[in-house]
Amino acid sequence: MTEAWIKCEKSMTKPPRVLVVEDEGNIRDLVCLHLGHEGYQCDGVADGTVALARSEAERYDLLVLDVMLPGLDGVSLCRAVRNGRLNRDVPILMLTARREETDKVIGLESGADDYLTKPFGVRELVARARALLRRSRAAAETAAPAGSGDGETVRVHDIEIDVPRRRVRVRGLDVELTDQEFRLLHLLATHVGIVFSREALLSRIWRGDTFVTVRSVDTLVKRLRRRIEADAAEPRYLLTVWGVGYKLADLAS
Ligand code: CA
């Protein structure tokens, strides 16, 4: 057992549960073996359809998805999990064999939190998994910060954020957000009118992960607009401040 897990064991009663979806048996075994050494409890699955059924039946703390899968591909699986009930907030790490930027963008747009290009080193895999689990745990612990409205619900424009339950309603309708979308919305909604640079958002949302670029911020903003704006092409809430960054519109505007 590593020092990291011994530390986090104090705050968690159960080991983190990881669903590993990879049809290449040797890679699946390798991932499960090394995450197992971290103290994580891994379920290995080879088929995308089987993985979807599993994610609809059981709650996980982390999903590791290969892109190329039999049954259902990793990108479609990722979207389906995000639109599901049980694991829609789960951190998702995508494994991709290709290096093209478009694949990475597709991976992030589908709702993945991070991705790893094959071939990858086990140390990098473990570091990414650890970072994702740490972030989602930290997000859960800080989900009800002091000084944001009544600490329970943040209301701005037609947006209502139930912070402890991590639920969002826009114009009276429930919208489902990924962990990153929720964090971006919560940050902007508790700082209405304040402009955040893309670099500032990068460090606040991804917490210093050197792997992502400012383009990831733009992608995340586009995704959040599709969830909260009546017309994502003509945003009224999440505004671009040209040459500076993004802000949530002032209440008066
Ligand atoms: Ca594969």
Side-chain angles (χ1 to χ4, degrees):
M1 237 182 230
T2 66
E3 196 187 332
W5 169 237
I6 290 165
K7 267 185 213 155
C8 83
E9 198 179 27
K10 287 173 187 166
S11 59
M12 294 179 71
T13 50
K14 285 189 285 184
R17 297 196 63 213
V18 185
L19 181 62
V20 179
V21 191
E22 166 64 86
D23 56 317
E24 288 169 71
N26 55 344
I27 297 179
R28 189 175 64 242
D29 291 348
L30 190 79
V31 170
C32 289
L33 176 74
H34 287 277
L35 294 183
H37 286 164
E38 283 292 294
Y40 305 162
Q41 190 189 319
C42 292
D43 287 348
V45 172
D47 179 283
T49 316
V50 175
L52 180 59
R54 192 70 71 86
S55 81
E56 283 173 352
E58 291 175 58
R59 172 87 189 145
Y60 286 96
D61 299 294
L62 174 69
L63 261 56
V64 180
L65 311 181
D66 185 31
V67 172
M68 302 298 282
L69 289 169
L72 186 67
D73 69 89
V75 171
S76 305
L77 175 57
C78 186
R79 285 202 183 103
V81 169
R82 288 288 181 240
N83 289 322
R85 282 274 144 208
L86 221 42
N87 289 289
R88 65 181 179 188
D89 294 331
V90 74
I92 297 180
L93 175 63
M94 299 273 271
L95 306 178
T96 171
R98 291 170 291 176
R99 291 181 174 275
E100 286 82 16
E101 186 71 16
T102 47
D103 289 341
K104 294 177 180 177
V105 172
I106 288 168
L108 289 174
E109 282 189 340
S110 67
D113 296 285
D114 202 354
Y115 48 89
L116 207 51
T117 306
K118 292 180 187 174
F120 51 83
V122 288
R123 277 165 183 253
E124 196 176 8
L125 165 79
V126 168
R128 294 283 176 83
R130 229 188 250 164
L132 285 172
L133 281 166
R134 195 172 53 231
R135 269 190 247 149
S136 73
R137 208 176 300 130
E141 280 166 9
T142 60
S148 56
D150 57 8
E152 294 272 314
T153 303
V154 178
R155 288 186 187 84
V156 56
H157 302 290
D158 295 331
I159 304 167
E160 199 178 298
I161 308 171
D162 179 344
V163 182
R165 289 172 193 82
R166 297 179 75 74
R167 286 202 189 124
V168 176
R169 286 169 78 80
V170 180
R171 294 174 290 278
L173 296 172
D174 286 322
V175 293
E176 297 189 358
L177 300 183
T178 66
D179 183 49
Q180 287 176 346
E181 290 162 2
F182 183 89
R183 267 187 280 146
L184 175 62
L185 178 63
H186 184 256
L187 177 66
L188 295 177
T190 50
H191 299 81
V192 168
I194 294 174
V195 184
F196 286 85
S197 69
R198 293 145 100 216
E199 289 77 11
L201 291 174
L202 200 61
S203 67
R204 297 287 283 269
I205 307 296
W206 280 270
R207 306 214 173 104
D209 191 334
T210 51
F211 160 79
V212 289
T213 69
V214 287
R215 283 193 54 199
S216 306
V217 175
D218 300 335
T219 306
L220 183 62
V221 164
K222 273 184 209 156
R223 259 170 41 202
L224 183 56
R225 277 179 177 150
R226 285 203 291 266
R227 311 266 189 188
I228 65 169
E229 300 282 354
D231 179 1
E234 298 279 339
R236 287 179 51 230
Y237 305 143
L238 209 176
L239 305 181
T240 301
V241 181
W242 295 107
V244 187
Y246 296 103
K247 70 170 184 176
L248 207 69
D250 295 287
L251 288 169
S253 64

PDB file of all heavy atoms in Angstrom, residues 22-24 66-70 118, ligand 1:
ATOM      1  N   GLU A  22     -11.341  -1.979 -21.244  1.00  0.00           N
ATOM      2  CA  GLU A  22     -10.259  -2.128 -22.211  1.00  0.00           C
ATOM      3  C   GLU A  22     -10.324  -3.540 -22.771  1.00  0.00           C
ATOM      4  O   GLU A  22     -10.361  -4.506 -22.010  1.00  0.00           O
ATOM      5  CB  GLU A  22      -8.927  -1.854 -21.497  1.00  0.00           C
ATOM      6  CG  GLU A  22      -7.684  -2.277 -22.220  1.00  0.00           C
ATOM      7  CD  GLU A  22      -7.453  -1.545 -23.528  1.00  0.00           C
ATOM      8  OE1 GLU A  22      -6.862  -0.449 -23.497  1.00  0.00           O
ATOM      9  OE2 GLU A  22      -7.882  -2.082 -24.575  1.00  0.00           O
ATOM     10  N   ASP A  23     -10.397  -3.645 -24.105  1.00  0.00           N
ATOM     11  CA  ASP A  23     -10.535  -4.984 -24.694  1.00  0.00           C
ATOM     12  C   ASP A  23      -9.208  -5.710 -24.831  1.00  0.00           C
ATOM     13  O   ASP A  23      -9.189  -6.928 -24.992  1.00  0.00           O
ATOM     14  CB  ASP A  23     -11.255  -4.909 -26.046  1.00  0.00           C
ATOM     15  CG  ASP A  23     -10.570  -3.987 -27.018  1.00  0.00           C
ATOM     16  OD1 ASP A  23     -10.153  -2.887 -26.586  1.00  0.00           O
ATOM     17  OD2 ASP A  23     -10.443  -4.336 -28.200  1.00  0.00           O
ATOM     18  N   GLU A  24      -8.098  -4.966 -24.786  1.00  0.00           N
ATOM     19  CA  GLU A  24      -6.791  -5.637 -24.843  1.00  0.00           C
ATOM     20  C   GLU A  24      -6.464  -6.149 -23.441  1.00  0.00           C
ATOM     21  O   GLU A  24      -6.191  -5.366 -22.532  1.00  0.00           O
ATOM     22  CB  GLU A  24      -5.718  -4.674 -25.331  1.00  0.00           C
ATOM     23  CG  GLU A  24      -5.841  -4.358 -26.816  1.00  0.00           C
ATOM     24  CD  GLU A  24      -4.931  -3.207 -27.223  1.00  0.00           C
ATOM     25  OE1 GLU A  24      -3.703  -3.411 -27.242  1.00  0.00           O
ATOM     26  OE2 GLU A  24      -5.441  -2.124 -27.493  1.00  0.00           O
ATOM     27  N   ASP A  66     -10.995   2.839 -22.631  1.00  0.00           N
ATOM     28  CA  ASP A  66     -10.290   2.839 -23.902  1.00  0.00           C
ATOM     29  C   ASP A  66     -11.242   3.414 -24.956  1.00  0.00           C
ATOM     30  O   ASP A  66     -12.453   3.275 -24.841  1.00  0.00           O
ATOM     31  CB  ASP A  66      -9.899   1.394 -24.260  1.00  0.00           C
ATOM     32  CG  ASP A  66      -9.051   1.336 -25.511  1.00  0.00           C
ATOM     33  OD1 ASP A  66      -8.300   2.298 -25.768  1.00  0.00           O
ATOM     34  OD2 ASP A  66      -9.143   0.330 -26.241  1.00  0.00           O
ATOM     35  N   VAL A  67     -10.701   4.086 -25.992  1.00  0.00           N
ATOM     36  CA  VAL A  67     -11.566   4.660 -27.028  1.00  0.00           C
ATOM     37  C   VAL A  67     -12.087   3.571 -27.966  1.00  0.00           C
ATOM     38  O   VAL A  67     -13.282   3.490 -28.246  1.00  0.00           O
ATOM     39  CB  VAL A  67     -10.837   5.769 -27.816  1.00  0.00           C
ATOM     40  CG1 VAL A  67     -11.677   6.221 -29.010  1.00  0.00           C
ATOM     41  CG2 VAL A  67     -10.555   6.972 -26.922  1.00  0.00           C
ATOM     42  N   MET A  68     -11.170   2.720 -28.451  1.00  0.00           N
ATOM     43  CA  MET A  68     -11.567   1.677 -29.398  1.00  0.00           C
ATOM     44  C   MET A  68     -11.990   0.431 -28.627  1.00  0.00           C
ATOM     45  O   MET A  68     -11.153  -0.247 -28.026  1.00  0.00           O
ATOM     46  CB  MET A  68     -10.391   1.342 -30.331  1.00  0.00           C
ATOM     47  CG  MET A  68      -9.868   2.535 -31.107  1.00  0.00           C
ATOM     48  SD  MET A  68     -11.096   3.257 -32.205  1.00  0.00           S
ATOM     49  CE  MET A  68     -11.035   2.072 -33.548  1.00  0.00           C
ATOM     50  N   LEU A  69     -13.293   0.169 -28.650  1.00  0.00           N
ATOM     51  CA  LEU A  69     -13.845  -0.957 -27.881  1.00  0.00           C
ATOM     52  C   LEU A  69     -14.871  -1.705 -28.719  1.00  0.00           C
ATOM     53  O   LEU A  69     -15.570  -1.092 -29.522  1.00  0.00           O
ATOM     54  CB  LEU A  69     -14.584  -0.439 -26.631  1.00  0.00           C
ATOM     55  CG  LEU A  69     -13.791   0.149 -25.487  1.00  0.00           C
ATOM     56  CD1 LEU A  69     -14.745   0.829 -24.515  1.00  0.00           C
ATOM     57  CD2 LEU A  69     -12.989  -0.929 -24.772  1.00  0.00           C
ATOM     58  N   PRO A  70     -15.014  -2.990 -28.519  1.00  0.00           N
ATOM     59  CA  PRO A  70     -16.147  -3.699 -29.149  1.00  0.00           C
ATOM     60  C   PRO A  70     -17.442  -3.341 -28.411  1.00  0.00           C
ATOM     61  O   PRO A  70     -17.393  -2.941 -27.251  1.00  0.00           O
ATOM     62  CB  PRO A  70     -15.787  -5.176 -28.948  1.00  0.00           C
ATOM     63  CG  PRO A  70     -14.896  -5.204 -27.754  1.00  0.00           C
ATOM     64  CD  PRO A  70     -14.173  -3.880 -27.705  1.00  0.00           C
ATOM     65  N   LYS A 118      -1.757   6.114 -25.598  1.00  0.00           N
ATOM     66  CA  LYS A 118      -0.979   4.873 -25.595  1.00  0.00           C
ATOM     67  C   LYS A 118       0.218   5.017 -26.534  1.00  0.00           C
ATOM     68  O   LYS A 118       0.076   5.639 -27.582  1.00  0.00           O
ATOM     69  CB  LYS A 118      -1.839   3.715 -26.086  1.00  0.00           C
ATOM     70  CG  LYS A 118      -2.967   3.300 -25.181  1.00  0.00           C
ATOM     71  CD  LYS A 118      -3.687   2.146 -25.854  1.00  0.00           C
ATOM     72  CE  LYS A 118      -4.943   1.766 -25.119  1.00  0.00           C
ATOM     73  NZ  LYS A 118      -5.693   0.744 -25.877  1.00  0.00           N
TER      74      LYS A 118
HETATM   75 CA    CA B   1      -9.040  -1.168 -27.664  1.00  0.00          CA
END
